[in-house]
Amino acid sequence: MPDWYAFCIVQQSYLTCKETKYTEEINLRKQMSTVGDRWIRSACKMCLHGCGIKVHVQNGVVVKIEGDETNPDNMGKLCPKGNSGIMRLYDPHRVKTPLKRRNPKKGKGVDPQWQEISWEEALTIVVTKLNSIRESDPRKLLCAFGDFQRIYFWGWPTVFGSPHFFTTLGTYCGAAYHPVNGMLDGSFAAVNDYDYCRYWLQIGSGDGFSSHLHLSGSAKRMADARMRGMKVVVVDPRLSVAAAKADEWIPIRPGTDRAFVLGMMHVLLHELGIFDREFLEKQTNAPYLVGADGYFVRKGENGKPLVWDAGRKEARAYDDPEVKEVGLEGRLRLNGTECQPAFQALKDLVLEYTPEKMAEITTVPAETIRRIAQELGTAASIGSTIVIEGKEYPLRPAAVNYYRGAQSHRDGLLDNLTFKLVNLLLGNIDVPGGHLGVPLDHRGFFIQPGPDGMINPMPHQLHPPMPWKYPPDSAHLAEFYPIGFDPGQLCAETLLDPKKFGLDFIPEALLIYHSNPLWNMPGTEKIREILKRLDFIVAIDVLINESTEWADIVLPDHSYLESYMLNCLEAPAVTGHCLRQPVIEPLYNTRDAVDILTELAERIGFLDNWNDLLNFVLGLTERPEYMLSPDHKYRVEEILDRFAKATYGDDHGLEWFKEHGHMVRLRTAEETYQPYGKLRIPLYFEHIKKVGDDLRGKMAQVGVPWDTSNYLPLPIWKPSPIHLSSKEFDLYAITFKEAIHNFAETVTVPWLTEVAWRDPLQRGIIINAATARTKGIRDGDRIVVESSEGRLHGTARLTQGIHPEVIAVPNAVTRWAEHPVIAGDDAHFNQLLPASLEYTDNATGAFENCAKVRVFRTPTSGGPG
Amino acid sequence: MAAVRITALGGVRRCLGWSVRNWEFAGGSVEKLLCSVPTSEGGTLFDLLVEGDQVKPGYTVLWNGRRLGTVLEMQTEVKGEETLVAIDIVRAMTGG
């Protein structure tokens, strides 16, 4: 199975894609394209996931967007964002032609005094500046790349020579999550099994209800599962949509979900004795003996890890067929060294995490922790099996599902390990009913045999780890995060004091590509200060946002209904690409963003490397006849045509996709359940310890103090700085989104904003009614929320549906860029978050998504409004 | 003789003077294969990609789609019909 950069080994049998399955769908599609008004199949881009859509065009005008019922991903369903895509296309505030700033003054609310200019003039200005930077030091260009659907084109900065990630798109939610999925089973994301799960414990996530993976299809799958009787329990500080629809809502103190689950693990292991022994013995490294140094005890130097053969009373290699009875528990001395099975180490570790102790940390009563552990453990039905597609699998229909709210914290690595391990104990990883890995794209799980009978850990799937180097080149210090994602938020700290971090360059310019660093990064004031210091900013986007309004030049992209892309991104149940294609001619003087990047590459002088990079990341090297020639400039359609043919075969180029829409199909059982076969997955993450020890040594060599305390093979509880902050800040602040919005960028869509604002809780700052009373705050009062980092203003909305220690700021309140739909409150949550090493997970680069705050009525508040 | 398809990208392409070749090879390990491919400046592909016992930082070498990081991993015997891809421009590719 492929490495991340080896699209190459996608199997031909898979690529040819079982055309017979599609006969009926194809006939239906052909019929649709020839009858009456035009209905065109395409892919949505109102969030990143690209649901199948069909677009009704009358006389060249888009009049309706619906879900594509032939696409098994979303099965004809479409969320509010997708339905309202028409308003993005016809937004009168779109950038219609290249713009040049006339006002040299920049800042919040400053009119840029845009001047419309020609493409030639705009490109000449941009190329002149970027050429000059590239010749002096390419690291002087910061890049803020977004647009997940064009993720294969994110390599432009590296070809230019810029190593920076000046944004937190992705880091905000997945910095710890994705690497841990990759290290566990070679997946990119994960979700419980909609088809067979019967007890779904949802922690800090909107899967199936309001957010995360492919919402439209997932909501349908969740609804079907509920109809067949699946129980849902939601752990969340806020009465979210998921919590409101669940069988039970358990409010919890923010950032303590790990403690809740550690308490459950204590109950499972020390009170109930519930764990899947067979799974742990055969499919994990739970029996491997761990020495006092934290590493596996091996047979000779660099030999195989040993396990304890309880039958023969001796240690043997883990794969010795003569082992009679694998020991999971107990302690022993081997060659004078204390050691124990990894499972025993975990069991010992959770001994102290009693429900009573965890209750103090989480505020969840001890009896609730015990009851949920009992329910989950019982529902897992350890020992049961099921036959699917002619093959017998273990059936474990109970699992913990989680996402941003549960693990985007200062110790995100430890959070993720904890949630994986509770599932692992129940034997439910990648089996029917359990917690399933979700691949990044059509390549499936990233499976390679690793050392010691294990699956090879794959923390990096978007790019290889940046090699350690001191002084570092990257402003986000990626060189110091060998298993982490790109901690873009650290730019806020490093760029204001580069010498402190060994950076020997001063950035001069910024390229913003479908991103909004001023909005999506924490430490807003610091980001603003960095922007002030830059000589030149160029932006490629569809609309002006808080960051692009600082630009000197704006290069307008087509909207998604005017452009091409092949989409396949972290789909829970399906695989295969869906084509995004123009449904009308571009309305304005815009260009496809990929074509813009290619044009810049040619004019700056690295077209050959740009084409080579695309050859590599698109897997065209597997079919040399489709490789891009180094010296030829290709349009996006040509690139995608080659990508499609290289991936799906000679007969499945862009024209095929234009006619048929997609190659999306349900994943088979073999692709879904334990696709790594007999390779073991880790209960004990020795790899993380090794990486941490190596990093510690390297940093010590250069005399740089660097915290590596989170590089642990097993998770522990320790409080985040938010749990230790001064009593002056007495409440926790969290943020949330519902299905109506994609981050905050869709708040420019009038339909969505109208719907969102009909819900008072989407428009205000949510505070527990009893807590508010103690502060003299009434519903409708204007209030101030203040952290050590910044403050925001808003309207108090009182409810019992939130933990008493918490206030929640929706992402649907407002934005501040000059757009009539979004001008309003200054309620920007990220202003509250510090962007610093202290609030960053030293292992993965995840940052703390909660803030400690104090809340009070504005002095001028005139009472309920 | 064993034929291996070698794809050279970025700086590796420039050093070799070509992008894709079906390389006829007398036999031996991947290391020997790399040593048999000359660069336009008189060195070998092995010299270009390897320093000490490691692939140089900034270079990525894929053997049948799997990343090779050390000379030890290059001791695999070449059988023929394999693929080798070498590139030097993905070092700092970012994305969250």
Side-chain angles (χ1 to χ4, degrees), chain A residues 289-292 295 297 330-334 337-341 344:
Chain A
L289 296 173
V290 178
Y295 286 97
V297 180
R331 292 175 193 79
L332 60 148
R333 278 186 84 82
L334 271 183
T337 307
E338 296 280 346
C339 59
Q340 60 191 330
Q344 180 68 52

Side-chain angles (χ1 to χ4, degrees), chain A residues 508-650:
Chain A
E508 289 179 11
L510 167 64
L511 168 57
I512 303 172
Y513 174 92
H514 279 273
S515 188
N516 189 356
L518 197 47
W519 188 268
N520 67 35
M521 291 168 83
T524 312
E525 283 307 316
K526 291 177 182 170
I527 302 301
R528 195 175 279 126
E529 181 57 32
I530 291 165
L531 295 189
K532 277 183 193 167
R533 297 180 185 187
L534 298 172
D535 295 340
F536 183 76
I537 299 174
V538 55
I540 300 171
D541 214 326
V542 173
L543 287 166
I544 297 294
N545 63 35
E546 287 75 7
S547 303
T548 55
E549 71 181 7
W550 288 62
D552 296 279
I553 297 288
V554 182
L555 304 174
D557 186 10
H558 295 330
S559 90
Y560 77 98
L561 294 171
E562 302 162 321
S563 60
Y564 288 99
M565 191 46 56
L566 277 165
N567 295 316
C568 180
L569 196 63
E570 50 178 17
V574 301
T575 187
H577 284 88
C578 182
L579 177 69
R580 189 174 95 215
Q581 62 177 319
V583 299
I584 58 167
E585 289 296 310
L587 293 171
Y588 306 115
N589 183 24
T590 55
R591 293 187 183 180
D592 188 282
V594 174
D595 291 339
I596 297 172
L597 293 176
T598 300
E599 180 78 26
L600 291 175
E602 183 191 38
R603 291 188 183 217
I604 295 169
F606 57 87
L607 181 66
D608 61 340
N609 274 357
W610 173 237
N611 285 344
D612 268 353
L613 183 86
L614 296 179
N615 283 329
F616 189 68
V617 298
L618 295 173
L620 306 184
T621 52
E622 273 305 287
R623 298 290 301 272
E625 66 270 36
Y626 294 124
M627 280 176 63
L628 308 178
S629 173
D631 52 2
H632 182 79
K633 188 166 76 176
Y634 296 88
R635 289 178 58 93
V636 65
E637 297 98 299
E638 297 173 272
I639 296 170
L640 295 179
D641 183 54
R642 287 162 182 260
F643 178 40
K645 287 173 178 167
T647 307
Y648 293 101
D650 301 341

